[in-house]
Amino acid sequence: SDTIAPVKGRDYRNERMAYIGGEVFDMQTDPEYIALREELAAREDLDETSREILKWELKDLESFRYIPKDVYVAYNELTMKANVVWKEAKNKNDYKLFEPYLLKIIKMRKDMLQYRHSDLQGYDIYLSDYEPGMTTEKYDQFFDLIRKKLVPLIKKISAAPQIDTAFTNLHYPADQQRKLMYRILDYMKFDLE
């Protein structure tokens, strides 16, 4: 859709892609399919890499397996439409074109949280998808620490006299660079052969 696909066909294409996504959703969320994957992941003769891949696939499945298919398909169709509008808004440097889509995506993501089976709440559920064990509370503590420690350090460094780095923007002939490199290699007793 980003290359030679006809622009006038994108709405139909997005609708069909969302439909196909719904069919894949049906297959991935089929209880028999899930049971087979869980059984496979538990096999003793499975190599470690395959076991890890299956573990992550099953974890990813938990992020959408309880969402109703019509909601899942509608969300995919919305994100495909939003992607088209985002590109247009980016090219025109016009956020207002994309804003309604972004707001709809955020609302749908919030609404879809109700279908998740998790002990976590709100954004912590989404954090656990990508950063297992992390929560907004832990990140708040982390960024508070950065604010207290790093920001004063950056201000101190910025206030200090700056090193003249003009030499990094000068032109140095390649043969002189090569000579310098060989001198350094020789000094380090590094043998190229």
Side-chain angles (χ1 to χ4, degrees):
S1 67
D2 287 340
T3 54
I4 61 170
V7 174
K8 290 181 180 178
R10 76 174 150 220
D11 290 339
Y12 179 75
R13 182 177 57 249
N14 288 345
E15 179 189 316
R16 296 290 82 206
M17 292 299 294
Y19 171 81
I20 291 169
E23 296 303 297
V24 171
F25 174 85
D26 279 344
M27 288 185 271
Q28 290 179 318
T29 57
D30 180 283
E32 188 176 334
Y33 174 81
I34 294 168
L36 287 171
R37 300 204 51 97
E38 288 171 340
E39 183 182 318
L40 183 60
R43 285 180 46 174
E44 302 253 343
D45 62 334
L46 192 65
D47 65 274
E48 188 62 30
T49 301
S50 297
R51 186 176 288 109
E52 281 298 308
I53 289 170
L54 279 166
K55 181 180 108 180
W56 282 101
E57 285 177 356
L58 287 166
K59 183 184 182 324
D60 184 50
L61 177 63
E62 287 302 309
S63 71
F64 64 86
R65 81 186 271 188
Y66 301 108
I67 297 171
K69 180 181 176 180
D70 62 324
V71 173
Y72 182 84
V73 170
Y75 177 76
N76 281 329
E77 192 168 358
L78 172 63
T79 58
M80 284 185 260
K81 287 178 182 176
N83 185 47
V84 171
V85 175
W86 175 81
K87 288 174 186 166
E88 181 183 352
K90 183 180 176 197
N91 288 336
K92 292 181 177 179
N93 197 22
D94 185 359
Y95 167 74
K96 288 290 183 193
L97 285 174
F98 180 64
E99 183 179 31
Y101 288 90
L102 179 60
L103 294 174
K104 287 178 189 174
I105 289 170
I106 291 169
K107 183 183 179 330
M108 279 193 90
R109 293 294 293 196
K110 285 180 177 180
D111 292 347
M112 288 191 302
L113 282 174
Q114 69 182 310
Y115 302 109
R116 299 287 295 266
H117 292 192
S118 176
D119 296 333
L120 300 171
Q121 297 296 314
Y123 191 68
D124 287 343
I125 296 173
Y126 288 128
L127 278 177
S128 72
D129 288 345
Y130 301 100
E131 297 291 337
M134 290 304 291
T135 63
T136 51
E137 182 181 345
K138 288 178 182 177
Y139 274 120
D140 285 346
Q141 291 170 358
F142 172 74
F143 286 115
D144 283 345
L145 180 64
I146 287 178
R147 196 175 299 110
K148 289 176 187 164
K149 301 283 184 177
L150 196 55
V151 171
L153 176 62
I154 292 170
K155 286 181 180 178
K156 184 177 177 181
I157 291 169
S158 297
Q162 299 299 303
I163 298 170
D164 180 12
T165 59
F167 72 94
T168 63
N169 296 318
L170 297 176
H171 173 74
Y172 298 95
D175 62 320
Q176 289 181 347
Q177 292 180 50
R178 195 173 294 106
K179 285 178 187 175
L180 177 61
M181 179 190 69
Y182 284 120
R183 282 182 59 197
I184 293 170
L185 291 172
D186 186 50
Y187 177 78
M188 295 173 58
K189 309 281 190 247
F190 187 84
D191 188 12
L192 291 176
E193 294 176 16

